């Protein structure tokens, strides 16, 4: 951590209510975060101008620094939506999950996590995960029960399921990136553009570098002849569109609908 | 879980915890200019850390980290609405830092209040259990932006709290169900919203300390009585509950003069500084 030259911000009830309500969500999309911010202003400081979200959050984070937590911003790996979560900076274990799940459930998550990280696509099949049920620590778990637990992970936004396969939810990546990079240093993949942890993405067939889908979208935006930034070979994959919150609201697309099913890009 | 420090078994003599739960902690005046400043002030005053041979010198950062763990522990535990036992805090978080536990707790309480707006309150005078009390008033529109159910400010609990208060602060379980049945809430039937109302009222709310549930001796068939639990007394007030009841009936709280007087008296008692001594007659 840098030296505390940054002046620590001041908390008001606007910020406190914001934090309290933010904590009721495991992870929140940017649009909802803005809505939440406006609500808090409305309750406590009706006439004030709503501060720009980035500054608002930076202010709160400067106060949270001494508590080793922060409101972290990330981007969903599949369609580039900005998301926010309150994450723990100090401990390197799966701490937030630990209070909601039993020992064997946590171990199931760990097993799924390992399969996901080792996979080439960033997805682990339900079958492969369930086959590891016998190796779990703690109370014995049957496959049927494990299926149930996997669904709990999906409901709590730790995993995403697509066509019987599981990958990490943006929330898990935000919370656990540090832990994952420290625990699986050899197996982790990293995006060539943003250098953050990469679970799902596209990869160059020639040199093997990987990029997040939203990073690909931004990097190759309005480029009709995309080439690998590393080896300059032709980039063979479909270039996704850059996420545009305005466009989405106009089209009235519900937040839960996704465009295409996961395209198998590796 | 948070890094588990080696727990040293049962805590020995428990030093007095500086409890400032009574006074409304002014967040502003406790605001540290820098977190290190606050931590520093605390440690300089603490003789215990130096006196204890086991403790050894602890870096500023270690202490800060300890307070951070404690804050997180309290937040997570309180989310489940189960009162936090001092013993659990000592075992799971404080560990080796037992000797400076009161200072740690005080600092954690300050941060909780300043940063999150939660006041750390002792549930009952000697029980060594704590809850977090929200210093911010819940607002109806909160429900639209939260990710969970929130504290049951309206709904079944409030109805039961209302029943208890209007009946003179104690009510028999049979009477509770007589009333609730009229609203379509039955002890034996699954409810669309409340799920298992019997479990909710006689177990969950009791465990969360919103209600007290005691068997009435010498009753046949066995009957129980409900009273307000310690958490209710901390989180809400007779006046708030009376206002809720009044709203439900579309009337004014003053339409129940006895309860209104009682609620007023409680407000006045709370407003008075905690100096002890007899209350002046209103």
């Amino acid at each position: 951590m840098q030296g505390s030259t940054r002046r620590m911000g001041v908390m008001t009830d606007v910020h406190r209510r914001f934090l309290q309500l933010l904590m009721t969500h495991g992870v929140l999309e940017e649009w909802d975060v803005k809505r939440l911010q406006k609500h808090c202003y409305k309750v406590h400081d009706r006439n004030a101008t709503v501060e720009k979200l980035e500054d608002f959050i930076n202010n709160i984070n400067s106060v949270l620094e001494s508590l080793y937590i922060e409101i972290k911003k990330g981007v969903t790996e599949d369609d580039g939506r900005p998301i926010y979560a309150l994450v723990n900076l100090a401990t390197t274990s799966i701490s937030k999950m630990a209070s909601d799940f039993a020992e064997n459930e946590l171990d199931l998550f760990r097993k799924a996590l390992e399969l996901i990280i080792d996979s080439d696509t960033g997805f682990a099949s339900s079958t492969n995960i369930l086959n590891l049920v016998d190796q779990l620590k703690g109370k014995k778990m049957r496959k049927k029960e494990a299926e149930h637990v996997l669904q709990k992970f999906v409901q709590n936004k730790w995993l995403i399921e697509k066509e019987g396969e599981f990958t990490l939810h943006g929330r898990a990546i935000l919370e656990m990136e540090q832990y994952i990079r420290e625990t699986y240093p050899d197996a982790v993949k990293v995006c060539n553009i943003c250098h953050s942890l990469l679970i799902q993405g596209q990869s160059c067939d020639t040199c093997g570098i990987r990029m997040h889908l939203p990073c690909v979208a931004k990097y190759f935006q309005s480029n009709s002849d995309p080439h690998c930034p590393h080896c300059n070979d032709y980039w063979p994959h479909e270039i996704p569109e850059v996420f545009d919150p305005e466009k989405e609201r106009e089209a009235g697309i519900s937040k839960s609908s996704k465009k295409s099913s996961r395209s198998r890009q590796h | 879980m948070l890094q588990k420090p080696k727990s040293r078994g049962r805590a020995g003599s428990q030093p007095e915890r500086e409890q400032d739960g009574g006074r409304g902690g002014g967040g502003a005046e406790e605001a540290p200019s820098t977190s290190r400043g606050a931590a520093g002030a605390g440690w300089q005053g603490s003789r215990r850390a130096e006196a204890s041979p086991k403790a050894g010198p602890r870096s500023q950062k270690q202490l800060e980290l300890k307070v951070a763990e404690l804050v997180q522990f309290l937040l997570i535990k309180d989310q489940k609405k189960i009162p936090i036992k001092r013993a659990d805090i000592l075992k799971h978080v404080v560990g080796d830092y037992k000797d400076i536990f009161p200072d740690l707790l005080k600092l954690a309480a300050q941060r909780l209040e300043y940063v999150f707006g939660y006041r750390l309150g002792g549930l009952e005078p000697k029980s060594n259990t704590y809850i977090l009390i929200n210093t911010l008033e819940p607002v109806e529109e909160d429900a639209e932006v939260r990710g969970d159910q929130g504290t049951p400010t309206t709904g079944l609990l409030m109805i039961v709290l209302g029943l208890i208060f209007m009946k003179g602060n104690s009510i028999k379980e049979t009477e509770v169900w007589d009333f609730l049945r009229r609203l379509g809430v039955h002890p034996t039937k699954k409810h669309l919203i409340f799920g298992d109302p019997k479990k909710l009222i006689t177990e969950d709310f009791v465990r969360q300390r919103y209600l007290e549930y005691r068997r009435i001796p010498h009753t046949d068939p066995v009957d129980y009585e409900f009273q307000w639990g310690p958490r209710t007394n901390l989180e809400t007030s007779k006046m708030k509950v009376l206002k809720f009841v009044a709203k439900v009936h579309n009337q004014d709280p003053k339409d129940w003069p006895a309860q209104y007087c009682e609620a007023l008296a409680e407000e006045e008692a709370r407003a008075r500084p905690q100096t002890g001594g007899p209350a002046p007659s209103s």
Side-chain angles (χ1 to χ4, degrees):
Chain A
M1 225 176 321
Q2 314 93 304
S4 53
T5 48
R6 174 157 67 154
R7 166 135 302 160
M8 195 168 86
V10 172
M11 294 295 281
T12 67
D13 281 348
V14 177
H15 303 103
R16 291 182 190 110
R17 188 172 294 261
F18 178 82
L19 257 187
Q20 282 190 14
L21 293 170
L22 182 65
M23 286 196 299
T24 64
H25 299 267
V27 63
L28 205 52
E29 288 196 24
E30 188 164 67
W31 188 76
D32 287 318
V33 175
K34 288 190 172 157
R35 201 170 134 231
L36 176 59
Q37 183 197 21
K38 282 198 196 86
H39 164 75
C40 297
Y41 269 94
K42 207 168 130 193
V43 174
H44 293 285
D45 205 353
R46 205 168 266 270
N47 297 317
T49 16
V50 175
E51 198 182 2
K52 195 173 120 199
L53 186 65
E54 193 184 337
D55 296 330
F56 185 76
I57 288 185
N58 282 340
N59 180 41
I60 297 176
N61 277 338
S62 70
V63 176
L64 293 179
E65 199 179 331
S66 64
L67 290 175
Y68 294 84
I69 48 180
E70 77 168 346
I71 302 172
K72 202 158 163 204
K73 180 178 176 179
V75 140
T76 56
E77 279 191 323
D78 46 9
D79 53 5
R81 296 158 179 281
I83 53 172
Y84 294 80
L86 189 65
V87 303
N88 194 341
L89 297 175
T91 62
T92 53
S93 63
I94 318 178
S95 58
K96 205 161 282 176
M97 289 187 82
S99 60
D100 289 332
F101 296 99
E103 188 189 355
N104 57 0
E105 294 173 329
L106 288 175
D107 211 35
L108 181 67
F109 183 80
R110 227 172 270 123
K111 293 270 182 277
L113 179 66
E114 285 170 7
L115 284 177
I116 289 168
I117 291 171
D118 284 333
S119 77
D120 201 43
T121 58
F123 282 81
S125 74
S126 174
T127 320
N128 288 343
I129 300 173
L130 295 175
N131 281 338
L132 299 174
V133 147
D134 292 323
Q135 302 172 24
L136 296 180
K137 296 185 204 154
K139 201 170 125 199
K140 185 160 163 60
M141 190 192 292
R142 265 171 271 121
K143 279 193 184 172
K144 200 79 195 148
E145 193 188 335
E147 276 179 10
H148 203 60
V149 176
L150 287 176
Q151 287 313 312
K152 256 214 293 187
F153 292 147
V154 172
Q155 274 159 34
N156 286 294
K157 308 209 173 127
W158 297 108
L159 295 178
I160 295 173
E161 184 188 1
K162 272 195 182 124
E163 296 162 9
E165 295 198 314
F166 293 90
T167 188
L168 291 187
H169 196 287
R171 179 196 188 179
I173 297 175
L174 272 178
E175 294 250 9
M176 300 173 193
E177 172 163 1
Q178 190 190 352
Y179 165 74
I180 291 172
R181 290 176 88 141
E182 285 171 18
T183 315
Y184 309 100
D186 303 318
V188 285
K189 301 160 188 83
V190 157
C191 174
N192 190 261
I193 303 291
C194 69
H195 307 292
S196 297
L197 175 68
L198 182 143
I199 302 288
Q200 294 177 62
Q202 295 180 350
S203 66
C204 175
D205 291 337
T206 315
C207 67
I209 61 128
R210 294 167 188 268
M211 304 204 285
H212 290 120
L213 293 166
C215 293
V216 167
K218 242 184 273 184
Y219 187 76
F220 291 131
Q221 197 175 19
S222 55
N223 180 342
S224 49
D225 191 22
H227 287 266
C228 172
H230 190 249
C231 70
N232 212 35
D233 216 18
Y234 174 66
W235 192 260
H237 308 290
E238 184 190 332
I239 312 295
E241 282 197 18
V242 175
F243 175 72
D244 183 356
E246 292 305 320
K247 217 188 271 178
E248 176 156 307
R249 214 129 21 105
E250 278 169 38
I253 301 168
S254 80
K255 280 177 289 247
S256 52
S257 77
K258 304 257 196 265
K259 294 184 302 192
S260 49
S261 57
R262 169 189 60 82
S263 33
R264 209 182 258 282
Q265 292 161 339
H266 44 271
Chain B
M1 194 60 185
L2 311 161
Q3 283 161 341
K4 279 190 164 115
K6 300 182 278 292
S7 50
R8 291 283 184 87
R10 223 151 288 123
S13 55
Q14 313 233 328
E16 268 318 297
R17 185 179 95 78
E18 290 153 81
Q19 166 69 287
D20 62 275
R23 267 160 275 137
E29 76 209 42
E30 289 170 335
S33 49
T34 66
S35 61
R36 290 201 176 81
W43 309 129
Q44 268 138 32
S46 165
R47 304 152 280 115
R48 279 189 221 100
E50 291 155 16
S52 163
K54 290 191 205 108
R58 292 173 180 127
S59 71
Q60 203 73 296
K61 179 147 191 219
Q62 280 177 301
L63 297 166
E64 214 176 56
L65 203 44
K66 214 21 113 168
V67 173
E69 277 180 41
L70 189 47
V71 166
Q72 278 182 52
F73 181 80
L74 293 168
L75 280 172
I76 292 176
K77 280 281 174 175
D78 186 75
Q79 226 178 35
K80 315 219 179 272
K81 286 287 165 239
I82 295 170
I84 310 150
K85 294 198 196 112
R86 186 186 221 157
D88 281 343
I89 301 176
L90 285 165
K91 180 171 162 207
H92 291 118
V93 184
V94 175
D96 289 356
Y97 291 64
K98 208 175 9 157
D99 51 317
I100 45 166
F101 172 64
D103 295 314
L104 282 178
L105 198 62
K106 186 170 179 209
L107 277 170
Q110 282 175 358
R111 302 307 285 149
L112 273 170
E113 189 158 1
Y114 179 66
V115 178
F116 295 95
Y118 289 123
R119 198 172 75 236
L120 184 67
L123 201 51
E124 283 154 312
K126 282 191 194 147
S127 66
N128 284 333
T129 50
Y130 309 105
I131 59 165
L132 297 186
I133 303 154
N134 202 344
T135 60
L136 302 177
E137 281 294 325
V139 143
E140 266 186 55
E141 291 78 19
D142 278 348
E144 294 164 34
V145 287
R146 24 179 359 124
D148 64 5
Q149 242 65 349
T151 41
T153 48
T154 52
L156 199 53
L157 177 62
M158 276 307 265
I159 295 172
V160 175
L161 293 178
L163 282 172
I164 295 170
F165 177 50
M166 301 311 276
K167 262 282 185 166
N169 299 311
S170 180
I171 189 175
K172 295 202 198 108
E173 184 175 0
T174 39
E175 292 172 297
V176 170
W177 292 115
D178 284 342
F179 183 87
L180 290 179
R181 264 188 213 101
R182 283 187 258 152
L183 300 177
V185 180
H186 302 259
T188 46
K189 254 196 262 172
K190 187 161 189 243
H191 192 270
L192 218 59
I193 300 173
F194 304 126
D196 185 346
K198 169 107 179 157
K199 176 170 179 286
L200 202 51
I201 295 175
T202 62
E203 289 178 36
D204 297 343
F205 290 158
V206 177
R207 196 181 352 109
Q208 294 164 1
R209 315 304 233 92
Y210 284 112
L211 297 177
E212 298 262 347
Y213 184 56
R214 277 193 215 95
R215 208 182 117 186
I216 306 173
H218 314 305
T219 47
D220 184 31
V222 166
D223 202 357
Y224 295 80
E225 68 176 3
F226 284 105
Q227 288 174 340
W228 282 17
R231 188 193 281 269
T232 299
N233 289 313
L234 284 172
E235 285 192 10
T236 188
S237 68
K238 289 176 178 173
M239 189 56 84
K240 285 197 190 131
V241 172
L242 180 59
K243 284 184 175 157
F244 170 79
V245 172
K247 194 162 149 200
V248 164
H249 286 90
N250 220 5
Q251 288 176 250
D252 188 87
K254 298 203 183 86
D255 292 344
W256 290 271
Q259 282 84 356
Y260 187 73
C261 274
E262 202 183 321
L264 259 185
E266 186 193 63
E267 292 220 318
E268 283 170 18
R270 286 188 183 184
R272 240 173 275 124
Q274 313 278 321
T275 49
S281 51
S282 46

